[in-house]
Amino acid sequence: VSISIVNHSGPMKEGKQYELQCDVQDVAPVQYLTLKWYKGQTLLNQTTFTDTLITPVDEVATLLIRPDRADDGAQYRCEAELKLGAEGPQPPPTVTSKPLNAEVY
């Protein structure tokens, strides 16, 4: 699981919109995958998938953000959780990206 800023590098400008991208590789079955977006410990959004593929695939989710000065130094991350139901492992297997440190001017 990895996180990146789409088509951007370096510091972000306050008030401008940016797209964060979360990549998950070799995941199956996709219909049990939930991607969660965090800023620090705060859950920002989550994405579920409906594909019924049972072979491992790569999935991508995006999140639009508009940082302000208070977000300078904030850490964004995405977390992939595979909820396989009551018969599956408890707690569900979870993989978290390395944090993306926001630098906002």
Side-chain angles (χ1 to χ4, degrees), residues 23-97:
D23 294 288
V24 182
Q25 293 164 342
D26 293 330
V27 63
V30 176
Q31 69 193 41
Y32 300 114
L33 176 66
T34 300
L35 279 182
K36 297 178 180 178
W37 292 94
Y38 290 91
K39 180 171 74 173
Q41 297 304 312
T42 305
L43 178 65
L44 298 176
N45 197 353
Q46 65 182 32
T47 305
T48 54
F49 298 87
T50 55
D51 298 341
T52 54
L53 299 169
I54 56 171
T55 54
V57 294
D58 296 343
E59 283 292 349
V60 174
T62 58
L63 176 72
L64 294 176
I65 62 168
R66 192 179 299 272
D68 60 29
R69 252 178 244 164
D71 293 322
D72 187 45
Q75 291 191 325
Y76 291 90
R77 70 184 196 282
C78 63
E79 185 177 278
E81 184 178 70
L82 205 54
K83 295 182 181 176
L84 298 170
E87 302 294 313
Q90 299 298 328
T94 302
V95 178
T96 304
S97 70

Side-chain angles (χ1 to χ4, degrees), residues 4-20:
S4 60
I5 304 173
V6 177
N7 297 325
H8 182 77
S9 62
M12 294 183 266
K13 290 190 176 137
E14 181 179 34
K16 187 175 177 208
Q17 183 170 282
Y18 296 91
E19 185 176 22
L20 300 183

